[in-house]
Amino acid sequence: MEKQNIRIRLLSYLVIAYMILAFFWWSILLFNKNRDAFRAKSQLMKIEMIDEGTINDTAQFLESAQYASLSKHYTRQEWMIVGEAIVFVISLVLGVYFINRGYNKEMVASQQSRNFLLSITHELKSPIASIRLVLETLLKRELPREKTTQLQGNALKETERLNTLVNNLLFSAKLESTYHANKEPLDLHELLEEIITKLSDKYPDASFTFKQEGEMPYFQGDKMGMISVALNLLENAVKYSGNGGKANIEAHLSMQGEGQIKLEIKDQGVGIPEKEKKQIFQKFYRVGNEDTRTAKGTGLGLYIVDQIVRAHSGRISVHDNVPRGSVFEILLPIA
Ligand code: ADP
């Protein structure tokens, strides 16, 4: 596929180069023909004028009004050829530039949907397979109570995973059409504490620390949206710590000046390459390659986070943590 693309590209560059060269050649030819025609016509005119007796020699002919008008006419034609050539080359270059840009966008989009299809198939299939296995085991065998409870717990976790995935999918579809933030006064401190308590149960190997600096005013925001933002960022922090769930995650709430609330989620995980720090907020974007990646996901989480933050007129950015990992920073205006 990649090879075929390179071949098509090379071929189109060759065709374009040929077109430009051919065009130059035709322009020069036209230019020369124009000059030849001018020479022939002025020669003819000179002979006719000498014949009529209006002039006696070449010097008189070059000063005559007829020659001046003929020369003006041909000079105008020369400029026309030059002008047309410039317009043509500019349009060709612009055309190639836009086609190339469109083509690159198409390629990125198709790569992303391929990634998305691969990851979503995996994300849908694996919990279904696990639940099925649990149900089959429970049907086939009489197991001790303890084992049964453990299996049921696993199946429940998998349904939760499915539920999150479907919710994310529906939410991202909604973000593009009907989402608007249902604003109500929120106590972000309380909200984050609740979420962190739940996540501490869900990820017993991860350690979460939550700090708040100073007083925090109520924030006018969409509760479901804010929960989704915090959950996505905190779960990513665990997921990309690259330590099988062992992770040190800090959430930090403070005021930035008078008018903005700042939320930082810091992890000490794998970090994000510089050139991908902006792209990770695009729909379906995931760092690396779907065939080699180990962490599960769909590339929807940060897209949803970014869209919700924007719907609250806020901004999200990411930078490197010290000594390792990432810091996601959200600024939310209070007004
Ligand atoms: P998903 O986690 O489903 O892949 P996200 O949109 O949440 O999708 O994240 C997009 C990508 O950004 C992830 O695939 C991952 O490569 C990268 N990423 C997100 N959060 C972190 C993090 N805390 N540390 C390192 N990489 C991260």
Side-chain angles (χ1 to χ4, degrees), residues 14 42 44 63 86 92 100 180 195 200 258 264 270 273 315:
L14 273 177
S42 56
L44 199 70
E63 275 161 20
I86 292 172
L92 194 69
N100 211 31
H180 69 270
I195 294 171
S200 303
E258 288 282 286
E264 284 172 300
V270 296
R315 274 188 292 129

Side-chain angles (χ1 to χ4, degrees), residues 119 123 168 232-241 265-267 269-273 276 279-288 290 293 295-305 318 325-328:
S119 63
E123 289 286 287
N168 270 350
N232 269 308
L233 291 181
L234 289 164
E235 292 211 276
N236 272 355
V238 181
K239 201 158 80 172
Y240 298 104
S241 274
I265 310 282
K266 305 180 184 186
D267 64 57
V270 296
I272 298 159
E276 284 175 288
Q279 290 164 300
I280 53 169
F281 296 103
Q282 288 168 10
K283 202 175 182 184
F284 306 142
Y285 192 88
R286 307 194 70 208
V287 175
E290 203 55 47
R293 208 185 335 259
K296 293 161 184 157
T298 53
L300 276 175
L302 289 181
Y303 166 74
I304 291 176
V305 169
V318 62
S326 320
V327 182
F328 282 84

Side-chain angles (χ1 to χ4, degrees), residues 60-110:
Q60 278 182 350
F61 172 66
L62 291 180
E63 275 161 20
S64 70
Q66 284 93 324
Y67 174 77
S69 144
L70 188 72
S71 163
K72 204 171 147 195
H73 175 70
Y74 276 96
T75 312
R76 209 169 43 225
Q77 276 188 349
E78 273 177 6
W79 278 113
M80 253 176 72
I81 295 169
V82 173
E84 295 261 337
I86 292 172
V87 169
F88 179 85
V89 171
I90 290 177
S91 341
L92 194 69
V93 170
L94 278 180
V96 170
Y97 167 73
F98 284 119
I99 290 173
N100 211 31
R101 206 172 65 163
Y103 174 80
N104 284 342
K105 272 194 186 157
E106 270 307 303
M107 288 311 290
V108 171
S110 96

Side-chain angles (χ1 to χ4, degrees), residues 171 174-176 178-183 219-222 225-226 229 303-316 330-333 335:
F171 202 51
K174 195 171 153 189
L175 277 175
E176 273 155 29
T178 55
Y179 178 78
H180 69 270
N182 259 334
K183 292 189 180 164
F219 172 66
Q220 288 292 331
D222 176 10
M226 284 300 131
V229 166
Y303 166 74
I304 291 176
V305 169
D306 184 44
Q307 294 294 315
I308 295 172
V309 170
R310 281 168 193 261
H312 288 81
S313 314
R315 274 188 292 129
I316 182 165
I330 295 179
L331 290 174
L332 294 164

